[in-house]
Amino acid sequence: MEKQMFTDRFASVFGTESFFKKQKRIALKNCGLIDPENINDYIYADGYKALGTVLTKMTPKDVVETVKASGLRGRGGAGFPTGRKWELTAQQESDEKFVVCNADEGDPGAFMDRSVVEGDPHTVIEGMAIGGYAIGSSKGVVYIRAEYPLAIKRLIKAIDDARKENFLGKNILGSNFSFDIEIRYGAGAFVCGEETALIRSIEGLRGMPKSRPPFPAAKGLFGKPTLVNNVETWANISSIIVNGVDWFSSIGIDKSKGTKVFALAGKIVNTGLAEVPMGMTLREIIYDVGGGIPNGKKFKAVQTGGPSGGCLTDKMLDTKIDYESLMQAGSIMGSGGMIVIDEDSCMVNIAKFFLQFTQDESCGKCIPCREGTKRMLEILTRITDGEGKPGDIEKLEELGNVIKKASLCGLGQSAPNPVLSTIKNFREEYEEHVYQKKCRAVVCEKLITYTINDKCIGCSACRRACPVVAIKGAPKEAHSIQQELCIKCGKCFRSCKFHAIDKTSEAKEQK
Amino acid sequence: MSSPLAVLEAKKQQAKKNLEEIGYFSDVKIYVGMATCEIAAGSNHVMEVFQNAVKEDKSLKGVYLSQKGCAGRCNLEPTVEIYQKGKDPVKYVKVTAENAKIIIEKHIKKGEVIKEWVGK
Amino acid sequence: MSTVKIFINNKEYNVDSTYTIMKACDEIGIKIPRLCYHPKLSISSGCRICIVEVEGMRNFVASCSYPVSEGMKVHTNTDAIRQARKDILELILDNHPKDCNTCVRDEVCELQQLASSIGLRERKFEGVLRTPFVDASSPSIVNNHDKCILCGRCVRVCAQIQNVSAIDYANRGFNTVVVPAYNNPIAESVCTLCGQCVNICPTAALTEQNYTKDVFSLLNDKTKVKVAQIAPSVRVAIGEAFGIKPGNNMAREIVHALKLLGFDYVFDAQFSADLTIMEEASELLERLNGHGKLPMITSCSSGWMKALEQFYPELIENVSTCKSPMSMLSSVVKSYFADKIGKKPTEIANVAIMCCVAKKYEAKRPELAMEDGNPATDYVLTTRELAWMIKSAGIDFKNLKGMDFDAPLGFSTGAATIFGVSGGVMEAAVRTAYELATKSKMENIDVIAVRGNEGIKEGAININGTEIRVAVANGLGNASKLFEELKKDPNKYHFIEVMACPGGCIGGGGQPYAGIQDLPFDPKLVNERAKALYSSDEKNTIRRSHENPSIIQLYKEFFGKPLSEKSHKYLHTHYKQKFPKGILRKSGKEAK
């Protein structure tokens, strides 16, 4: 009964809403239920019970074994078995070790880590303290992006309160274990979410990844063994300790245990954060949790894993959400971004959007990522501008594969994913752009033709809006657009109040 | 020497006492979503309305008002939950400062749930 | 040593278990192509040229950093790897100007050689180039961003070997550049202008400020008396630029070539090295007798002088007031020698051929100017620039008969020769100081303790019953370590020699490019150059500066004695604290 209380309090409050019915809250168990700035609220909700249990009844080795047995895997993206990471760090002989919380959430549209830190900061602190106990470290660092001022404020207060209550500091709860946490701010570089770049950034250096091995578990922060886990991973720890391995591993499937928080975005009714058990299908999360596609539009694709992930089609909607299945389908779990795309979106344009992001955020250290993504972006821009040339798609594939296989860090290795997966699943759209100069979603500006239909009443609004005087027509008579003058800015389309301007993109004959 | 769990248990009792002092176990509780996303949607104005009401309106004496983190319903923010003893919690969505005043008057004071504002 | 069994291209090898794949391959004779890797620097793994395939790995691995392990199966030359290397190289070239024919590094460019060995024959991905920008603010070093391929070797050599960190990456992605802090021009930065970045740059992104055009024009100027001087280490390195094995002393060929180029007089900076020793050894004895601060630190290295003024202002009083041999000789030429040939200083032009790029900056220091305000040294050329001028003028350098330096400023002793090697100034000064102080012959003048490759060397000499403790540091990184020691025990040494470049002047920033096969400041290369200098010292019949007859004559005719009023005027200078961007002034008042 007590176990139930601990994790299912959320369900008792929110369970009636369809959005929450299929959710299972572990990392977000307290988010939306407690006052994040009141430590009493957390303690009263059985907070720090895991830490107390660990310090009273478990050896560090027991803790590592528990996390290992739970099957928890890193929630930051790569899905490395968390217990194995803990074990590797625990095995190192060193005078000093560090525990690091990666709160440098950088994927566009992802905010699960912010939500946890803002809604339940103590659960992260508790997880880190348990991690410190398990690996023999007395020093934790939270690396959090400076763009999260409220999260930082609440975390600072939580750390202060935890110190006052002796959940941090010397001889925690009267035990021999001492542990404290410092905060370091990230300055907004996406690549600093990569653990070696993050470590360099904490050290005060430019955030650039290093080659591994050596892994941070052996040589991390200031050359000392370092355990780096993501916010969501840390937020899972206390529940595993309190509720036990069997409970945790009963949630999820095969190699992916527990839950994953997803940030639902794009063309979906219920945008928001959803924590679902691993193994749920994409269909369930999009239609049951997310409420489907708004405005009666047709589902086209879902992009998982943020800018490093791939686009999956309607044929793959029954793919299970777990690390392996998503990988097999051609995408990744990533940190949990999930963007739903409907028929109004152009896949080439979407790929370009993501590549633009990774290209901007490449640290500039390794050549494939720095130079290669730039060339890919140039080719994609060319294609969406209607200047694609035969062979461009193949060039994208060749470059994409080299960047994937030869880049230094995860950013580069995954940067081509959105492009490669859209080419794989939506090749015909690319071909239409290149060979027919057509964008079927009518998104790519340069491929659009504006024409005036018979609804035109001759109000002249479009004629006045046109910056290049491409629209002719006497007042109160039907107007027309001179295509050779039109610069496709779309001002006429937006100015027309009578739906008299059509926006189309048709196959054009090859010159 | 007492075990960490025993120390924790004492802390939990103390926490309960502390919560009691601030009215946590009151019959009526109001939770306003105050994460960055909720604030961006305007929850700080909603919070202000409730804060003023609890401070100034004598009929709301003893009502417990608290902030909370985000439950994840981005498209429905700001969100407000009203807990009344013996009843299911009511979750209002897309609350505005104006709506908040009406919720106080109708729901909290008179017990009338405004169904069209409740999230589904 | 434990070994592991690995398979390289399907053949079995036992290699040291601590090796990387690259090192293992090097040992069995397969040189994997590489670009950002340098054995003396930390591993960056940024260029991805050295990738190989390892069976069982999803991605290619960088062989420079990936450790070997038991049973590992490595393939270095599969079709996939060869294609990936080509693609990566093409990505570099796509963002690199196509102006090899007009580039200063044409034929001596690592990138060019790499492209040739990788066999890139077609271009597929061309697009925009990085924004062109050239920072030519400094008299020594030019940063040409267009040609930078961001291998980061300059950044690492500056931070890890020199402990200066004047440059680092800025901006992200395609906009990444290597610049001084806050994007300041080099001239306003903490760069010490040692030029190690120039030496290690694989392309023409970092080069010396080139004065060859000005010098060619000067050589055609009939109104000027053209005087050249060459530094000790130029003569043992210039041959490399002509395909001659390192370690040949080509002083006579250089003199001959300079005469053919049109110089009226060719003097030797080794002559003024002897002069420096006379002054510096006397200054040391003065300080040892209680007149001035100890330890005394040498002042020959211009890069070190710039570092001193910005990083170690507290040591300014410890530094010898002696000008560098280059500046001493230029002063003597424009005073003593000008009188001798009946010319005004303005009618003489001094061109110094140096192994150094910081000397270009030194020549422009206002406090080293002549009384008329003109600089003592008009132009400084690096070894590389001279080699190019010789080639450009069509001089058959390898087959020149050779000529002697001109009198009276061309005669030097063995002590002066070894100025080019780390520890050489120390050794030369000790030889003279000992004999000046004890008035007796030093029996074994080879001060072995201060010779060799180590970054910091220590020794002790007994002069008149007092033990004089000396230390030698080469490379600014080692110097900073030595100064840390000195902070702990200020009385640890009496005399310290500091050279900004690893190995001393022979490893200077102006020396011929080493190319891919011999990497810059490769100990082997530096050793060959050093050996040539030591053997010239040994072969010299006069090995003590104070025994140089031309020096004796110069004092007799002009300076009187060391540290005289006249020598202070022409041979000594002063240093003061400087505040390039990035060095904070202590109080707000000073800042204004």
Side-chain angles (χ1 to χ4, degrees):
Chain A
M1 190 60 207
E2 199 187 327
K3 281 181 188 176
Q4 288 286 310
M5 272 290 293
F6 193 74
T7 53
D8 292 348
R9 200 172 128 195
F10 192 91
S12 72
V13 177
F14 292 98
T16 54
E17 294 174 42
S18 64
F19 179 66
F20 293 111
K21 263 185 195 148
K22 284 202 165 180
Q23 291 197 39
K24 175 83 192 167
R25 297 233 161 183
I26 299 176
L28 300 178
K29 61 181 183 288
N30 286 325
C31 287
L33 283 180
I34 64 168
D35 179 354
E37 294 188 38
N38 189 346
I39 192 172
N40 294 312
D41 218 343
Y42 183 72
I43 299 173
Y44 187 63
D46 271 343
Y48 291 109
K49 188 173 172 188
L51 182 61
T53 308
V54 159
L55 295 179
T56 309
K57 299 178 184 165
M58 295 167 86
T59 64
K61 203 159 183 266
D62 293 340
V63 180
V64 171
E65 288 305 322
T66 304
V67 176
K68 248 178 100 177
S70 74
L72 177 66
R73 292 169 67 175
R75 299 291 191 242
F80 189 81
T82 306
R84 180 85 190 109
K85 217 174 193 180
W86 287 34
E87 187 178 41
L88 285 170
T89 324
Q91 280 164 356
Q92 300 291 324
E93 297 281 332
S94 176
D95 54 339
E96 198 173 19
K97 293 181 189 179
F98 293 101
V99 169
V100 173
C101 171
N102 182 350
D104 189 57
E105 190 169 44
D107 280 11
F111 47 93
M112 31 267 154
D113 295 347
R114 174 178 64 76
S115 184
V116 171
V117 178
E118 281 180 4
D120 192 13
H122 287 284
T123 198
V124 179
I125 295 171
E126 186 176 2
M128 287 177 73
I130 294 168
Y133 177 73
I135 67 155
S137 159
S138 60
K139 182 104 202 133
V141 180
V142 179
Y143 185 83
I144 186 165
R145 59 195 314 223
E147 295 95 323
Y148 282 176
L150 185 65
I152 289 170
K153 184 188 137 205
R154 289 192 177 152
L155 188 62
I156 289 173
K157 179 162 196 322
I159 290 173
D160 281 348
D161 290 347
R163 273 191 202 126
K164 277 180 209 145
E165 294 288 345
N166 194 220
F167 296 120
L168 290 176
K170 291 238 176 323
N171 300 98
I172 293 173
L173 298 176
S175 70
N176 292 325
F177 173 59
S178 300
F179 186 78
D180 211 337
I181 294 177
E182 261 184 53
I183 300 182
R184 285 284 176 277
Y185 306 133
F190 177 65
V191 74
C192 287
E194 198 279 343
E195 58 181 9
T196 59
L198 181 146
I199 285 169
R200 269 180 64 96
S201 180
I202 295 177
E203 288 170 352
L205 302 166
R206 178 182 160 90
M208 289 200 296
K210 281 197 289 202
S211 57
R212 299 176 297 184
F215 288 91
K219 247 180 127 186
L221 190 54
F222 301 110
K224 306 286 183 185
T226 303
L227 174 61
V228 187
N229 280 139
N230 155 275
V231 170
E232 197 186 325
T233 314
W234 288 121
N236 271 288
I237 300 298
S238 58
S239 298
I240 293 174
I241 299 289
V242 171
N243 296 335
V245 166
D246 295 342
W247 166 83
F248 187 80
S249 54
S250 71
I251 305 162
I253 55 163
D254 311 332
K255 288 182 181 166
S256 302
K257 299 295 184 194
T259 59
K260 178 75 193 87
V261 183
F262 285 95
L264 301 181
K267 306 292 177 65
I268 189 161
V269 174
N270 297 328
T271 55
L273 279 188
E275 183 170 358
V276 297
M278 299 269 191
M280 183 181 263
T281 63
L282 284 168
R283 190 185 301 281
E284 282 176 280
I285 191 166
I286 293 168
Y287 288 94
D288 297 348
V289 177
I293 318 296
N295 306 325
K297 293 280 181 180
K298 210 175 137 231
F299 170 89
K300 186 174 191 175
V302 57
Q303 151 88 19
T304 70
S308 321
C311 284
L312 303 176
T313 65
D314 55 349
K315 292 190 194 75
M316 300 161 178
L317 272 176
D318 291 311
T319 304
K320 285 183 174 165
I321 297 171
D322 62 80
Y323 295 98
E324 277 71 28
S325 305
L326 282 173
M327 183 82 89
Q328 227 166 18
S331 186
I332 58 166
M333 178 81 85
S335 65
M338 187 171 285
I339 298 169
V340 180
I341 296 157
D342 72 2
E343 54 190 322
D344 284 349
S345 303
C346 166
M347 298 314 290
V348 186
N349 199 47
I350 295 230
K352 192 176 85 175
F353 167 80
F354 283 115
L355 198 71
Q356 174 83 57
F357 177 82
T358 38
Q359 212 277 309
D360 278 347
E361 292 295 341
S362 162
C363 78
K365 183 175 180 181
C366 84
I367 291 161
C369 175
R370 178 185 75 228
E371 308 287 343
T373 54
K374 176 75 176 178
R375 299 304 161 220
M376 284 182 81
L377 185 63
E378 282 176 348
I379 297 171
L380 279 172
T381 307
R382 195 153 82 202
I383 293 175
T384 53
D385 282 353
E387 284 156 21
K389 292 181 270 198
D392 275 356
I393 302 172
E394 291 71 20
K395 280 183 193 171
L396 284 175
E397 287 176 316
E398 181 178 348
L399 268 178
N401 284 321
V402 168
I403 296 168
K404 223 175 139 144
K405 290 197 84 176
S407 288
L408 172 60
C409 82
L411 192 158
Q413 286 161 12
S414 60
N417 280 353
V419 182
L420 293 177
S421 71
T422 47
I423 292 181
K424 191 175 149 216
N425 295 326
F426 300 92
R427 197 180 184 101
E428 67 286 359
E429 272 194 51
Y430 278 84
E431 285 169 349
E432 279 169 10
H433 279 74
V434 172
Y435 298 104
Q436 303 173 3
K437 311 298 174 202
K438 173 186 166 183
C439 173
R440 64 167 75 172
V442 201
V443 168
C444 296
E445 270 185 21
K446 298 268 170 72
L447 303 182
I448 290 172
T449 308
Y450 291 94
T451 47
I452 297 179
N453 61 31
D454 53 12
K455 287 182 195 147
C456 177
I457 61 154
C459 74
S460 287
C462 59
R463 187 162 58 83
R464 287 193 299 274
C466 180
V468 293
V469 208
I471 300 179
K472 293 273 177 307
K476 304 210 171 139
E477 280 172 31
H479 285 38
S480 65
I481 299 173
Q482 288 176 283
Q483 293 303 332
E484 63 278 15
L485 293 179
C486 175
I487 56 165
K488 304 169 196 287
C489 68
K491 280 198 168 174
C492 55
F493 183 82
R494 288 190 292 274
S495 71
C496 182
K497 295 189 175 67
F498 304 95
H499 303 288
I501 295 181
D502 291 328
K503 201 173 156 185
T504 53
S505 180
E506 296 303 329
K508 289 159 198 77
E509 271 179 43
Q510 282 288 67
K511 280 169 205 160
Chain B
M1 208 177 82
S2 48
S3 76
L5 267 179
V7 176
L8 178 68
E9 186 51 36
K11 283 185 186 294
K12 193 172 172 185
Q13 292 314 315
Q14 184 59 43
K16 192 178 174 189
K17 236 184 245 166
N18 295 343
L19 289 171
E20 221 159 8
E21 270 170 34
I22 57 169
Y24 184 85
F25 299 101
S26 153
D27 287 350
V28 183
K29 298 194 330 184
I30 306 166
Y31 277 91
V32 182
M34 288 290 279
T36 302
C37 44
E38 305 250 15
I39 294 170
S43 73
N44 50 340
H45 303 300
V46 176
M47 186 61 152
E48 218 173 288
V49 169
F50 284 111
Q51 273 169 342
N52 289 337
V54 170
K55 210 183 331 174
E56 285 156 20
D57 195 328
K58 278 179 192 141
S59 62
L60 296 183
K61 202 164 180 269
V63 168
Y64 178 70
L65 172 66
S66 170
Q67 59 175 350
K68 64 175 180 90
C70 118
R73 303 228 63 175
C74 303
N75 54 333
L76 302 178
E77 287 169 350
T79 62
V80 171
E81 275 112 55
I82 313 284
Y83 295 72
Q84 284 176 315
K85 207 167 195 173
K87 291 180 188 167
D88 281 340
V90 178
K91 295 148 288 175
Y92 288 106
V93 298
K94 293 188 180 173
V95 183
T96 63
E98 294 308 309
N99 293 1
K101 286 175 192 158
I102 300 169
I103 290 170
I104 293 168
E105 291 306 318
K106 287 199 172 168
H107 184 159
I108 298 174
K109 289 191 184 167
K110 299 182 189 149
E112 297 169 23
V113 176
I114 308 158
K115 284 202 176 119
E116 59 270 36
W117 295 349
V118 174
K120 288 173 197 79
Chain C
M1 182 188 90
S2 67
T3 62
V4 289
K5 186 168 77 183
I6 66 168
F7 298 86
I8 298 174
N9 301 335
N10 305 318
K11 291 199 179 64
E12 192 184 311
Y13 300 94
N14 279 306
V15 300
D16 189 320
S17 60
T18 62
Y19 277 10
T20 59
I21 296 174
M22 180 185 274
K23 207 164 174 202
C25 287
D26 278 352
E27 211 172 76
I28 65 161
I30 296 176
K31 188 154 169 147
I32 298 168
R34 59 199 69 177
L35 190 54
C36 70
Y37 173 83
H38 190 285
K40 289 258 177 168
L41 304 176
S42 74
I43 286 170
S44 146
S45 311
C47 75
R48 317 307 286 173
I49 290 287
C50 71
I51 46 171
V52 293
E53 266 189 283
V54 174
E55 282 182 30
M57 298 285 292
R58 193 171 41 153
N59 294 330
F60 300 139
V61 302
S63 60
C64 62
S65 60
Y66 210 87
V68 294
S69 58
E70 183 65 34
M72 177 184 259
K73 294 190 173 74
V74 179
H75 300 276
T76 66
N77 253 325
T78 60
D79 287 349
I81 275 290
R82 293 186 64 84
Q83 187 57 45
R85 283 195 198 126
K86 264 186 209 175
D87 285 344
I88 293 167
L89 186 74
E90 190 188 343
L91 288 171
I92 303 176
L93 295 180
D94 283 340
N95 195 4
H96 193 79
K98 292 190 201 93
D99 61 359
C100 289
N101 291 336
T102 51
C103 178
V104 292
R105 291 229 28 194
D106 191 24
E107 294 185 338
V108 282
C109 172
E110 253 189 83
L111 184 61
Q112 225 176 33
Q113 292 171 39
L114 189 69
S116 148
S117 75
I118 284 185
L120 185 65
R121 295 289 174 260
E122 55 165 344
R123 304 280 288 269
K124 289 173 294 193
F125 310 124
E126 284 167 280
V128 298
L129 294 172
R130 65 175 63 236
T131 319
F133 177 69
V134 177
D135 176 0
S137 61
S138 151
S140 291
I141 293 174
V142 178
N143 186 356
N144 190 340
H145 290 253
D146 321 11
K147 300 204 170 163
C148 177
I149 57 168
L150 299 167
C151 67
R153 298 205 308 217
C154 53
V155 173
R156 283 175 283 151
V157 81
C158 193
Q160 294 164 12
I161 304 290
Q162 298 297 66
N163 194 20
V164 170
S165 294
I167 45 174
D168 204 338
Y169 293 103
N171 307 338
R172 278 197 290 232
F174 193 73
N175 300 319
T176 309
V177 285
V178 170
V179 284
Y182 309 112
N183 227 334
N184 282 318
I186 293 174
E188 293 167 26
S189 75
V190 296
C191 172
T192 63
L193 309 173
C194 71
Q196 288 306 314
C197 56
V198 176
N199 255 356
I200 207 164
C201 179
T203 71
L206 286 160
T207 58
E208 66 267 74
Q209 188 72 266
N210 193 305
Y211 293 103
T212 52
K213 191 171 170 241
D214 309 68
V215 174
F216 267 125
S217 300
L218 171 72
L219 291 170
N220 290 318
D221 184 348
K222 294 201 176 74
T223 66
K224 295 269 186 176
V225 177
K226 280 86 71 177
V227 179
Q229 57 166 300
I230 66 166
S233 28
V234 173
R235 64 204 70 189
V236 291
I238 195 167
E240 295 158 30
F242 295 92
I244 298 163
K245 270 209 334 216
N248 273 292
N249 189 332
M250 320 239 7
R252 288 175 49 80
E253 286 85 348
I254 298 174
V255 176
H256 196 160
L258 288 169
K259 283 287 171 69
L260 290 178
L261 277 169
F263 282 98
D264 300 307
Y265 298 93
V266 180
F267 293 141
D268 197 348
Q270 287 188 182
F271 167 83
S272 51
D274 278 330
L275 185 57
T276 304
I277 288 306
M278 293 303 290
E279 296 293 324
E280 200 160 336
S282 307
E283 187 184 347
L284 176 65
L285 294 174
E286 284 278 291
R287 290 189 189 228
L288 286 171
N289 287 330
H291 307 292
K293 251 184 142 176
L294 284 172
M296 186 174 90
I297 308 176
T298 61
S299 60
C300 305
S301 167
S302 342
W304 152 230
M305 285 304 95
K306 189 161 187 290
L308 167 81
E309 290 181 318
Q310 60 199 30
F311 299 137
Y312 310 102
E314 70 280 6
L315 293 176
I316 284 179
E317 279 183 51
N318 293 75
V319 166
S320 160
T321 57
C322 290
K323 290 180 185 172
S324 72
M326 174 187 89
S327 293
M328 281 198 184
L329 186 56
S330 295
S331 291
V332 172
V333 166
K334 288 193 177 180
S335 54
Y336 168 75
F337 180 71
D339 285 351
K340 269 205 145 158
I341 58 170
K343 293 280 179 187
K344 281 183 260 169
T346 46
E347 291 170 315
I348 299 177
N350 275 318
V351 177
I353 322 293
M354 297 281 138
C355 43
C356 182
V357 297
K359 282 275 182 284
K360 290 170 187 273
Y361 156 83
E362 180 187 318
K364 291 196 186 313
R365 288 179 79 110
E367 61 273 23
L368 296 177
M370 301 303 292
E371 280 166 302
D372 55 19
N374 292 317
T377 313
D378 295 85
Y379 296 105
V380 177
L381 299 177
T382 59
T383 314
R384 288 187 293 262
E385 284 171 280
L386 176 64
W388 177 80
M389 283 182 75
I390 292 171
K391 286 178 193 168
S392 179
I395 295 166
D396 183 7
F397 186 72
K398 278 198 210 172
N399 297 313
L400 291 178
K401 276 207 221 97
M403 293 170 81
D404 286 328
F405 284 101
D406 289 305
L409 309 177
F411 187 82
S412 62
T413 69
T417 307
I418 56 172
F419 255 58
V421 195
S422 161
V425 178
M426 170 67 64
E427 188 169 339
V430 164
R431 289 178 192 174
T432 292
Y434 181 93
E435 298 192 0
L436 289 183
T438 61
K439 310 261 185 309
S440 63
K441 277 262 178 213
M442 193 171 171
E443 272 173 29
N444 183 4
I445 59 169
D446 292 336
V447 188
I448 302 298
V450 295
R451 293 187 181 184
N453 258 331
E454 296 79 41
I456 297 174
K457 295 167 276 189
E458 289 177 316
I461 304 101
N462 189 320
I463 298 183
N464 280 347
T466 315
E467 192 190 50
I468 307 300
R469 294 180 300 278
V470 301
V472 172
N474 67 85
L476 289 173
N478 292 317
S480 67
K481 280 182 215 154
L482 185 64
F483 296 145
E484 281 306 311
E485 285 298 302
L486 198 60
K487 261 186 209 160
K488 285 182 218 152
D489 180 5
N491 299 320
K492 195 167 178 189
Y493 305 109
H494 297 96
F495 188 25
I496 296 173
E497 179 202 296
V498 175
M499 292 293 159
C501 293
C505 300
I506 44 173
Q511 295 285 51
Y513 291 119
I516 295 186
Q517 293 307 320
D518 308 290
L519 283 156
F521 57 83
D522 184 339
K524 265 187 280 170
L525 184 65
V526 172
N527 274 350
E528 289 304 317
R529 292 172 183 168
K531 251 193 257 166
L533 287 180
Y534 281 121
S535 98
S536 298
D537 169 31
E538 260 168 51
K539 281 185 210 142
N540 207 318
T541 45
I542 308 176
R543 297 181 64 194
R544 296 162 174 87
S545 297
H546 52 281
E547 292 174 359
N548 181 338
S550 300
I551 291 286
I552 295 167
Q553 190 190 357
L554 177 65
Y555 276 105
K556 210 155 136 201
E557 290 180 11
F558 195 67
F559 288 118
K561 62 178 178 31
L563 307 181
S564 68
E565 201 177 311
K566 214 166 189 178
S567 68
H568 266 291
K569 182 173 164 191
Y570 289 110
L571 306 180
H572 290 259
T573 183
H574 55 275
Y575 298 95
K576 61 171 190 285
Q577 186 171 11
K578 288 193 178 141
F579 299 95
K581 302 254 172 81
I583 300 285
L584 294 178
R585 287 166 200 264
K586 269 186 192 127
S587 72
K589 213 173 164 189
E590 255 180 298
K592 281 165 198 168

